[in-house]
Amino acid sequence: MRATLMYAAGDVRTEDVPDPRLEAPTDALVRITTSCICGSDLWPYASMPATDGPARMGHEFLGVVEEVGPEVSGLKPGDFVVAPFAYSDGTCAFCREGLQTSCVHGGFWDEPGQQGGQAEAIRVPLADGTLAKLPVGADTALAPSLLTLSDVFGTGYHAAVQGRVEPGKTVAVVGDGAVGLLAVASAKLLGAEQIILMGRHKTRTDLGVEFGATDVVAERGDEGIEKVRELTGGEGAHVVLEAVGARPAYDQSLGIVRPGGTISRVGVPQYDDAPVGFGSLFGPNVTLTGGPAPTRAYIETLLPHVLDGTVEPGKVFDRAVGLDGVPVGYRAMADREALKVLVTP
């Protein structure tokens, strides 16, 4: 079959690889119908050394179950499913608490030895706990929106939930990528009164306004902080949803959160050290939260909003390619020519 491999920074290829097969009784084989390129894939695309490659790529996919192991009880061949970006058993203490990204038997599709979702098919370990069956067929026009349940919609929603967004709150979203835009949509779903989107790409921020942003701030650094302060009567935002992962985004979040507020980070941090002392978090009683989103926990919550059209998260996809076009898709996203690229094997 065909699959995507990253050999080093800037070197992505579509190649023939062995077909997946069942390896454990809890496995399922899934024929992938839709996948995509994630903004987090751009971090290794910019920096991965050749010694770490080749790596199978892709952690978001929809597909049709082709075969199941003898211990899989909740799925059967022909089921149309969505996979979260982490696989999990669904039964451990952390899964039962809705924290599937900390599953004691689980892991992530991008880890060494796992098969990526930018491919024609994939072996899914712990299939009963991982895959969510969808109530529509694989030919649905909702496929792009359903695919966002795998990662970006669930991640934006996780940011809002962890940040304790609720009616009457002022929310600032740092970042106009797909996660940031769907953090805006999530804040609106949870009833935020004012939603400030910080981004400088007009086509993206226009979509953010469509998703529910009440204000857009294009400025960065001190100028951006001052603008958000002006929009909030000098107080800052109750909740800041940081959807970038770079240190300047963290510093900007510190500058715009109000005393007693919360910074919720879901952008994968590309730094280890950041201010958390008296002058940054401790003194003003600011809470720092976030982390890898357990998107499996949110699928059943968000699915009805997708099915009834309350939210159309699939609008974050502005380009589509086949598997052979995936390398071009990476370049388009890295060059900011595309927001998020849909892949149809």
Side-chain angles (χ1 to χ4, degrees):
M1 70 169 192
R2 304 285 282 169
T4 301
L5 293 91
M6 184 179 293
Y7 279 80
D11 185 3
V12 174
R13 311 176 196 176
T14 306
E15 298 184 338
D16 291 321
V17 299
D19 291 342
R21 59 183 179 82
L22 297 177
E23 298 178 12
T26 53
D27 287 351
L29 296 183
V30 173
R31 173 176 55 84
I32 296 172
T33 58
T34 315
S35 63
C36 60
I37 302 170
C38 184
S40 64
D41 293 333
L42 300 182
W43 294 116
Y45 186 71
S47 62
M48 190 177 95
T51 53
D52 288 350
R56 295 279 288 271
M57 298 302 296
H59 54 258
E60 304 154 274
F61 60 90
L62 304 175
V64 177
V65 175
E66 297 280 280
E67 186 179 354
V68 298
E71 294 183 16
V72 176
S73 60
L75 299 162
K76 65 183 185 303
D79 285 343
F80 184 44
V81 294
V82 57
F85 68 82
Y87 59 91
S88 56
D89 61 20
T91 60
C92 78
F94 298 109
C95 286
R96 293 197 304 271
E97 293 172 8
L99 196 61
Q100 288 89 339
T101 47
S102 293
C103 176
V104 297
H105 301 115
F108 298 88
W109 301 110
D110 303 271
E111 293 174 340
Q114 292 301 327
Q115 302 170 3
Q118 294 163 13
E120 292 181 313
I122 192 169
R123 177 184 74 90
V124 177
L126 306 174
D128 274 333
T130 300
L131 298 172
K133 188 160 51 175
L134 296 169
V136 292
D139 60 349
T140 177
L142 291 173
S145 287
L146 293 169
L147 179 59
T148 67
L149 300 174
S150 181
D151 185 348
V152 289
F153 194 8
T155 295
Y157 191 75
H158 180 63
V161 168
Q162 290 292 95
R164 302 192 301 274
V165 174
E166 59 188 19
K169 292 286 183 73
T170 293
V171 177
V173 177
V174 179
D176 59 7
V179 170
L181 296 178
L182 291 173
V184 168
S186 298
K188 183 179 180 181
L189 279 176
L190 292 172
E193 180 175 323
Q194 182 181 23
I195 305 172
I196 303 166
L197 174 59
M198 303 194 76
R200 62 196 313 178
H201 304 89
K202 190 174 186 305
T203 55
R204 300 182 182 194
T205 57
D206 284 349
L207 182 55
V209 170
E210 184 178 339
F211 282 157
T214 57
D215 303 276
V216 173
V217 173
E219 296 83 357
R220 293 184 176 180
D222 291 341
E223 192 177 357
I225 291 170
E226 183 179 352
K227 187 65 178 291
V228 172
R229 292 279 174 180
E230 289 176 2
L231 289 168
T232 57
E235 296 178 349
H238 294 97
V239 185
V240 180
L241 310 180
E242 195 272 278
V244 179
R247 174 61 189 274
Y250 178 83
D251 292 338
Q252 190 155 273
S253 300
L254 282 177
I256 62 177
V257 68
R258 64 183 280 157
T262 300
I263 298 171
S264 182
R265 298 183 305 165
V266 291
V268 180
Q270 301 303 302
Y271 54 91
D272 291 319
D273 299 318
V276 296
F278 193 96
S280 53
L281 300 183
F282 184 83
N285 284 281
V286 170
T287 297
L288 179 64
T289 186
T295 57
R296 183 62 187 85
Y298 300 125
I299 289 174
E300 283 77 14
T301 298
L302 297 176
L303 179 60
H305 298 296
V306 172
L307 294 176
D308 68 13
T310 300
V311 184
E312 297 181 66
K315 288 185 175 183
V316 297
F317 294 105
D318 56 354
R319 185 173 300 195
V321 298
L323 271 177
D324 288 337
V326 168
V328 175
Y330 271 83
R331 286 196 296 272
M333 286 181 61
D335 293 341
R336 301 296 181 115
E337 296 173 358
L339 168 58
K340 191 166 178 67
V341 175
L342 195 73
V343 180
T344 52

